[in-house]
Amino acid sequence: MKTLTQVPLGTQVLFGPAVKRRRRLERLVFNIFSRWKYEEIIPPIFDYYDVFSRGMGAELEEALYRFVDREGNLLALRPEFTSLVAKTVATRLQDRPKPLRLCYCGDVLRYEAPRGGRQRESFQLGIENIGGERIACDAEVIQVAMEALQRVGIDRFQFNLGEMGFFAGLVERFGLSAQDLSRIRRLIDLKDPVGLQAEMERLQLSPRRREVLHALLHLTGNSETIDAARRLVRNEKSLSALDNLAGLYAELRRRKLADHLTIDLSEVRGLDYYTGIIFKIYVPGLGFEVGSGGRYDNLLKNFGCDLPSVGFTFFLERLMALPLKLR
Amino acid sequence: MSNGLKSEEILSVALSKGRLQDAALELLGRAGVEVDGSEAGSRKLIFQDRSGCFQFFMVKPVDVPTYVEYGVADLGVAGWDVLLESEADVHQPLDLGIGRCVLAVAGPRSTARKNYRELSAVRIATKYPRITTDHFTRQGIPVEIIYLSGSVELAPRLGLSERIVDLVATGRTLADNGLEVIEPICDVSARLIVNRASYQVKRRAVSRLIQQLADSLNR
């Protein structure tokens, strides 16, 4: 039988030095997590489809491995950990003292073309910080991520920090259909000013709105970017997003971590469950981000418990592609 | 720079061999990135500009998005057709306006006017399976794709398929083979594409090049 010897697309086997390297990497990162009092949680590899489908965004929802059990329930293999951690906290751990600090590592499964060092089955390592004070917890999560990178010998890295509320506030009053909005988002994501211009003309947006969206493409840089953004908008939601970002920036500067930060308000891609800050982690020499994270204040509500949360995850295969010092 | 990163000022650029090669180098020259004629003309696959700030790779056009997506090249110049077909996850900040042509469905003059919407399925020979499938299925027309890697215009003459999807610049190649455009799919020109991480990590150098290119396009 052919299926006995060939491998399904998107799977991988590790052995030899690769296993040693990966286990050492996990252990070093987990050392940092436990130093910050993050407790490991091992969630199931599958759960009901609905647990994952809420708030993931259409693109990832399509990537879910779905199946039906004998009773006819629709199930899915986990494509990420955050939903499972959120569900567990909301249903089992809600009475624990806050903030709850949890960490995890394990496989996630996504039905997508193997690309960028990521197979259909890939490995994630991350933390969730639930129910704490906003800016302090955002800063803590970012600090943990930075310390973990340094612990494995990566000293040069860049955290691109954005705020979902800024763009949401901007387009809220445009009255665009979901389809038009996703087209605008896609053009901003491509950083394509010409395409954006054409689309805005098609939608007959006012000159002021065009100017604002156009400026959004270039809202990337140091802390002055926040001031530049403030001059651009008047709506309350965007302004409060900027206040939040400025607060976090100041807190990270106080912790002497601001050197690694780039403010990036042009980042409009991310899981739909993110509500506040989002960040992506870049390391020079690697063409893909090695991790990402953000705040998801509405996710736990889905599971019947209203707690604000923030977290991040590393994409392990991508970290492994870097020259690490695993001592 | 306040950033903790030392900015790597050297940018690597993947260029398409062939149709777009000269136009892309000429455009870069106008934007202030000068390459010795002897370097570019010497069929070297890797060479630098005069300032040493840019390194160029000459690769097959269809491979440009791949090199850029994986960050082996920070930037690239790729035709819109190739980009669309590859579905590469890259930034696309500029339409460079070079290599203009049309991606179109074409067929023999005798049957070009026949409405293929009434066929039970359309058979198409093409280098662009993804774009072609998308184009037909979006209209609700079942399509059978015959993938070819070149000389697609021969397919109808040799009886492989009645219709093709291919790039049309002047229409002369089509005419020489007794074909004409049935339906345009999209306009094609070359785009500047940028790796997502390079766009962030080498932001200064990348933005500067984009600005220089944009300025020279507007002149």
Side-chain angles (χ1 to χ4, degrees), chain B residues 61-62 65 82 96 137 145 165 171 191 209 218:
Chain B
V62 291
V82 167
L96 298 173
T137 50
I145 305 282
V165 165
R191 306 282 168 123
L209 179 66
N218 292 331

Side-chain angles (χ1 to χ4, degrees), chain B residues 16 20 23 35 66 71-72 81 84 93 104 115 120 127 141 150 163 167-168 179 193 197 200 213 216:
Chain B
S16 304
L20 285 173
V35 175
T66 310
V72 172
D81 52 325
L84 213 55
N115 191 347
S120 58
K127 283 189 280 187
I141 303 169
R163 297 173 183 82
L167 288 185
V168 183
L179 305 172
I193 58 176
Q200 301 303 339
L213 281 166
S216 76

Side-chain angles (χ1 to χ4, degrees), chain A residues 6-26:
Chain A
Q6 73 183 23
V7 292
L9 183 66
T11 60
Q12 59 186 337
V13 186
L14 289 188
F15 48 82
V19 171
K20 283 195 181 143
R21 211 162 157 262
R22 183 162 106 186
R23 292 300 182 211
R24 219 176 283 149
L25 173 62
E26 284 168 38

Side-chain angles (χ1 to χ4, degrees), chain A residues 223-253:
Chain A
S223 62
E224 283 161 27
T225 306
I226 303 176
D227 304 322
R230 222 187 287 272
R231 288 192 288 274
L232 210 58
V233 294
R234 288 182 224 128
N235 79 80
E236 217 165 286
K237 191 170 190 170
S238 296
L239 286 172
S240 99
L242 292 174
D243 287 343
N244 182 33
L245 203 54
L248 176 59
Y249 194 91
E251 174 59 25
L252 288 165
R253 181 149 46 197

Side-chain angles (χ1 to χ4, degrees), chain A residues 116 158 160 189-191 193 259, chain B residues 4-5 70 91-93 196 200:
Chain A
Q158 177 175 321
N160 271 48
D189 179 53
L190 291 175
K191 317 273 187 215
D259 279 357
Chain B
L5 304 170
Y70 277 73
H91 291 313
Q92 303 167 14
R196 285 179 174 271
Q200 301 303 339

